[in-house]
Amino acid sequence: MTVIGGEVRPVYGRIARWLEETPIEHLSSRRAQAELLFRRMGITFAVYGEKDAGERLIPFDIIPRIMLRSEWTRLETGLLQRVKALNAFLQDVYGAQEILKAGKVPKDLVLGNPEFRKEMVGKKVPHDIYVQIAGIDVVRTGEEDFYVLEDNVRTPSGVSYMLENREVMMRLMPDLFAEHRVAPVENYPDVLLAALRSVAPDSAGSQPTVALLTPGRFNSAYYEHSFLADKLGVELVEGRDLFVEADKLYMRTTQGPKQIDVLYRRIDDNFLDPEVFNPDSVLGVPGLMRAYHAGSVTLANAVGTGVADDKAIYTYMPEIVEFYLGETAILKNVPTWRCREPDALRHVLDHLPELVVKEVNGSGGYGMLVGPRATKAQIEAFAVKLAKDPNNFIAQPTLALSTTPTFFDTGVAPRHVDLRPFVLTGTNGVRVVPGGLTRVALIENSLVVNSSQGGGTKDTWIVDDALFEPGRTFQVQSQSQGFGAQSQSQSPS
């Protein structure tokens, strides 16, 4: 097995040994089997706006990403802090707006934001929780350095790939999996369902009814919607399956109408209720906002959360954390120039070949410029767009992102990765899935990991530090147990 470039960190020692001992033909066979499993499972996504925009598989790399438990614990602490601050920020900007009065965040950046929903001002949401599910994109630049790239608190996606990646790895490489003490992720649906039920309105019974709202089978993430509904054991519904009566939300069933207490919605605000937002929407439910404001149904995530994952608001997260929690942000922000500010705009225009420039409401890797990888013509065209609408952009330096070993037909080579951990918030607490979804830039030297831009995914293993202490034994962790649970069987380290 050929390994191209890069040094092996101790945590990858067993993986390195496995790669050295495994013929490349065997690894290629494992990758082919993984692809076959994903096809059988139906794990696909769609890319809009392309001629061949049919259903595709997201490329899967058979070499896992590995982090020590001690490293993960530091990251987890920062994630919990960040999501608590985001919830406090949303509660405030739709309430007393103290942070705006204090001048910590510019008023126009919030009140003039296209994702700020005036319909939510002064309205309570059940239990004051706006973000039940968050996906925080993180990159590593050194042994101790983690940076947040962006916060996803509208309808974060990707958790189905995290779960299916784990299942495939356990099927294909049980011996390698058994050698590592890997934190389990497969009980994520149980933890999510508990969080969703915990935020049901007080009027709901002891077993609140939860449903998952999808735009339908033509949506790029429809596989994930159906997968999660199945794993949660809840109904997968479309807008046409629902109706509002007497300010309560119901779904149509063969036994008659059934009231919904919590709606896990996977469609954007604009399409939720044609009476309030886009009148042409056929994806939502007329009257849904009336039921929501009446307090008879919880929407997860809450309407209006998009203002908190705007990339311009992101630049103020250190101030937001300090304002609401009285703490210094544990996770660093990437240094960012706000192009809406004249001095910052001049700097960005003068240094475009060195910077990454993003739309403040962009996603999926679209609408961005990676200066070091762009042609002169692309940079010149982007400069025109940037000068015309500077409020719509932020710019960041290109970070020296960490790499992980990635398998190709020619051997193993390093590729840049990021990580999307998933943070769940309910009245029962805030929990973080141990690991999350690792996305990998499969193109050499590329920094773009998005699946829509050719990126792939890896399984993410959080392993116990004791595994790397000579002479120690460790307990094999049963995948049927909860986050952090341990079984009693012994295995040599």
Side-chain angles (χ1 to χ4, degrees), residues 159-168 170 177 182-193 227-228 230-232 424 431-436 459-460 477-486:
V159 74
S160 61
Y161 302 106
M162 175 193 76
L163 295 171
E164 296 289 32
N165 286 353
R166 175 59 53 84
E167 181 175 342
V168 167
M170 291 177 66
F177 194 89
V182 184
V185 298
E186 84 291 342
N187 59 333
Y188 172 90
D190 295 333
V191 179
L192 173 58
L193 184 60
F227 172 89
L228 282 175
D230 179 62
K231 292 294 185 181
L232 291 169
L424 304 178
R431 304 285 295 277
V432 187
V433 180
D459 193 11
T460 309
Q477 195 153 315
S478 168
Q479 288 299 299
S480 64
Q481 295 176 308
F483 293 172
Q486 299 175 358

Side-chain angles (χ1 to χ4, degrees), residues 62 75-76 99 105 126 140 190 203 211 226 254 276 282 298-299 315 327 365 376 378 390 416 428 450 452:
I62 60 172
L75 177 58
E76 180 183 43
I99 198 168
V105 177
R140 188 174 192 167
D190 295 333
S203 57
S226 57
T254 54
V276 177
V282 295
T298 297
L299 298 183
T315 66
E327 302 168 357
K376 184 178 180 180
Q378 289 172 330
H416 294 295
N428 56 351
N450 305 81
S452 55

